[in-house]
Amino acid sequence: MNVIDLFAGCGGLSLGFLQAGYSINKAVEFDSAIANTYKINHPEIDVLVDDIKNIDTAGVFKLGDAEVIIGGPPCQGFSMAGARIRQGFIDDPRNYLFKHYYNVVRTVKPKIFVMENVKGMQTMQKGKIFDEIISIFSDEELNEGAPYNIFHKIVKAVDFGIPQKRERLIIIGTTIMDLDFEGIWEETKKSILLDYPDYFEPTTVRDAIGNLPVVTESGVIPNPIPQNQYQRYLACDNVKLTNHTQSHHSKKAIERMHKIDNGQNYTYLDEEINSVHSGSYGRLVWDEPAATITTRFDTPAGGRFIHPDEDRTLSPREAARIQSFPDGFVFYGTRREISRQIGNAVPPKISYFLARYVQKILEQEE
């Protein structure tokens, strides 16, 4: 099946669909640095590096280009929906990211689309934004007589055997009506367990990064021998792994980190720390899942991202492991660009599940 990935990022959502046997026709990513990582890891895919507004209005996509469209319009693009004034919502320039995602869906008319976004979208503006999005895709007139049957679910990364307390909203729309979405969800789990019996087993920080050696200046390390099922799932045949570098922290930051034990954060320091992050200067615990990996996992003040033993934040490779990226996936760019790529990505283990779920839904049509 052919797939279009909008707001592709470095390719976390694409990766799961590729692993499940789909073909990605085109991927759209506005940030050239992030798109570069996508291109190098997937040289066979046509990556369009442009604003989705330009992609939409240039007539790049046509009816029938793909059976599946995936992507997550950034939540910053959503503004107040108002009192269900649909035309006002869809035409509000602050909502252009969602608008052009919707326009591509309406143009291509895929059998199914998958939209990923922040959990908080459901409650933004007292739920008006979420209700409006569902209404737009479900409206028969707006969709030229072919409305979408909508299913939505909050997914927790820990439920997919990912060592991270990440929660995201998944919205799935399909032209197939009268589906038992929850029943198919359970069928998908059973199907994956036949291939990967440990897929959904609880996983910890130790399971994810426990076999990685010390960081290096270049980030290049010998490929370590996997020690558990999670590491085996992510393992590759490369002789070397990359991206295992550490941030260069100030002497003061290192002194602060040294005072913090596992599970503690800045509140245990004997000084005043002004931080908007409740987990600021937080140290990870080996035998628990990590906090949500964000774009600031390389910064002590950014959250609970200090290594369980060492006085440093997570390396990009460690963060990628916690996000469930395969070891052979290489991130390119500056330190900040790489942090954004990893922190903003959909964990590939979730996207693989969604790809298998989409397969199960489309089987209902046959």
Side-chain angles (χ1 to χ4, degrees):
M1 287 177 284
N2 292 322
V3 178
I4 293 169
D5 189 351
L6 306 176
F7 308 98
C10 68
L13 197 49
S14 283
L15 193 54
F17 279 79
L18 290 168
Q19 290 169 335
Y22 293 73
S23 296
I24 308 288
N25 268 14
K26 285 183 171 63
V28 178
E29 173 52 45
F30 174 70
D31 189 307
S32 59
I34 295 174
N36 187 51
T37 288
Y38 191 113
K39 286 179 179 180
I40 296 174
N41 282 277
H42 306 297
E44 75 285 1
I45 296 173
D46 183 12
V47 183
L48 307 176
V49 187
D50 202 348
D51 191 318
I52 192 169
K53 173 180 66 177
N54 300 330
I55 299 292
D56 174 14
T57 55
V60 171
F61 296 117
K62 296 179 175 56
L63 177 66
D65 275 352
E67 288 82 19
V68 184
I69 288 179
I70 60 178
C75 62
Q76 295 94 323
F78 298 115
S79 63
M80 188 170 183
R84 288 202 81 263
I85 304 174
R86 184 169 303 153
Q87 198 65 29
F89 174 80
I90 200 73
D91 287 338
D92 186 329
R94 294 170 295 180
N95 294 328
Y96 85 98
L97 295 171
F98 166 76
K99 174 182 179 178
H100 294 296
Y101 179 99
Y102 170 71
N103 283 350
V104 174
V105 169
R106 189 168 60 173
T107 298
V108 176
K109 290 185 169 50
K111 294 179 180 178
I112 194 163
F113 71 82
V114 178
M115 184 188 291
E116 181 265 357
N117 220 292
V118 293
K119 173 186 175 183
M121 185 203 281
Q122 276 193 299
T123 54
M124 285 179 187
Q125 304 297 336
K126 299 181 180 179
K128 290 178 181 177
I129 292 174
F130 180 72
D131 291 343
E132 195 62 22
I133 288 170
I134 300 301
S135 297
I136 287 169
F137 281 110
S138 304
D139 188 282
E140 188 167 350
E141 183 178 344
L142 280 177
N143 293 283
E144 301 170 333
Y148 283 92
N149 184 13
I150 304 295
F151 171 71
H152 59 87
K153 191 178 185 74
I154 299 293
V155 299
K156 299 179 179 181
V158 291
D159 293 339
F160 296 82
I162 300 169
Q164 179 186 179
K165 299 172 184 175
R166 189 186 196 97
E167 294 183 324
R168 301 293 281 185
L169 171 66
I170 303 297
I171 301 173
I172 293 176
T174 175
T175 53
I176 306 169
M177 301 297 164
D178 301 320
L179 289 174
D180 178 8
F181 284 108
E182 286 290 353
I184 297 170
W185 193 271
E186 293 305 313
E187 286 179 25
T188 305
K189 285 184 179 179
K190 293 176 183 176
S191 177
I192 289 177
L193 285 172
L194 294 175
D195 298 324
Y196 304 103
D198 300 292
Y199 198 85
F200 302 100
E201 288 298 309
T203 311
T204 66
V205 170
R206 188 189 305 276
D207 293 330
I209 69 173
N211 72 329
L212 290 172
V214 295
V215 294
T216 65
E217 190 64 32
S218 68
V220 178
I221 55 171
N223 191 351
I225 298 171
Q227 298 174 343
N228 56 54
Q229 289 296 336
Y230 186 76
Q231 292 169 10
R232 279 189 279 277
Y233 181 80
L234 302 183
C236 67
D237 295 329
N238 299 353
V239 175
K240 304 282 187 181
L241 301 188
T242 61
N243 299 122
H244 193 40
T245 57
Q246 74 171 72
S247 298
H248 295 290
H249 305 297
S250 69
K251 181 181 178 182
K252 185 65 175 176
I254 293 171
E255 289 173 352
R256 287 171 176 165
M257 287 188 277
H258 191 68
K259 297 175 183 177
I260 300 211
D261 290 330
N262 297 106
Q264 296 181 351
N265 61 16
Y266 74 99
T267 59
Y268 287 82
L269 295 171
D270 54 357
E271 60 178 300
E272 190 71 26
I273 301 285
N274 295 318
S275 176
V276 296
H277 297 281
S278 60
S280 179
Y281 277 91
R283 189 180 290 278
L284 293 164
V285 179
W286 276 122
D287 296 319
E288 295 179 4
T292 297
I293 297 297
T294 71
T295 60
R296 298 192 66 207
F297 70 80
D298 61 337
T299 307
R304 190 178 296 280
F305 303 127
I306 300 174
H307 188 276
D309 289 340
E310 301 174 34
D311 294 333
R312 62 170 177 83
T313 51
L314 293 169
S315 75
R317 180 53 53 198
E318 288 166 337
R321 283 264 188 105
I322 292 170
Q323 275 278 61
S324 76
F325 272 92
D327 283 348
F329 196 96
V330 181
F331 300 89
Y332 298 89
T334 65
R335 179 176 65 85
R336 292 303 308 133
E337 288 166 348
I338 289 174
S339 296
R340 288 208 316 274
Q341 292 168 36
I342 297 172
N344 283 332
V346 178
K349 278 195 80 178
I350 291 180
S351 59
Y352 177 74
F353 176 91
L354 293 173
R356 296 280 295 261
Y357 183 57
V358 166
Q359 285 176 337
K360 287 286 185 186
I361 290 174
L362 293 177
E363 285 172 5
Q364 309 298 308
E365 192 178 43
E366 297 174 0

